[in-house]
Amino acid sequence: TPDDYFYDFPAILQQRFGGVPIFDEKGQILSADRVHLTEAGAVFFASFVFEDPKWSDFAAMHPQPDQ
């Protein structure tokens, strides 16, 4: 079903952060224009998106490089 694959990103942000974060824990801006992610923003959001079981198949096909 669609709910098995739908990732409600705004709801996850609200639950996890109480809204949309502007900066990461290092103070780096996540989006300069509120539309596109900075590199820091991509790393920040990917770090918890891929923790969700709905994304496990996708994450397995696209392993993250060593950090």
Side-chain angles (χ1 to χ4, degrees), residues 1 3 15 17 21 26-27 37-38 40 43-44 47 51 53-55 58 62 64 66:
T1 68
D3 286 339
Q15 179 183 12
F17 303 107
K26 297 177 186 174
L37 296 175
T38 61
V43 169
F44 178 82
S47 70
E51 292 173 0
K54 293 178 184 179
W55 286 81
F58 181 83
H62 300 86
Q64 295 182 352
D66 293 334

Side-chain angles (χ1 to χ4, degrees), residues 3-64:
D3 286 339
D4 293 335
Y5 300 99
F6 179 71
Y7 192 81
D8 189 353
F9 201 66
I12 297 297
L13 293 176
Q14 183 64 37
Q15 179 183 12
R16 193 166 183 141
F17 303 107
V20 179
I22 306 299
F23 301 98
D24 68 8
E25 61 281 347
K26 297 177 186 174
Q28 297 175 303
I29 194 162
L30 303 177
S31 173
D33 61 6
R34 299 183 304 163
V35 176
H36 302 94
L37 296 175
T38 61
E39 183 175 349
V43 169
F44 178 82
F45 290 115
S47 70
F48 67 85
V49 168
F50 292 126
E51 292 173 0
D52 190 293
K54 293 178 184 179
W55 286 81
S56 61
D57 291 341
F58 181 83
M61 293 185 311
H62 300 86
Q64 295 182 352

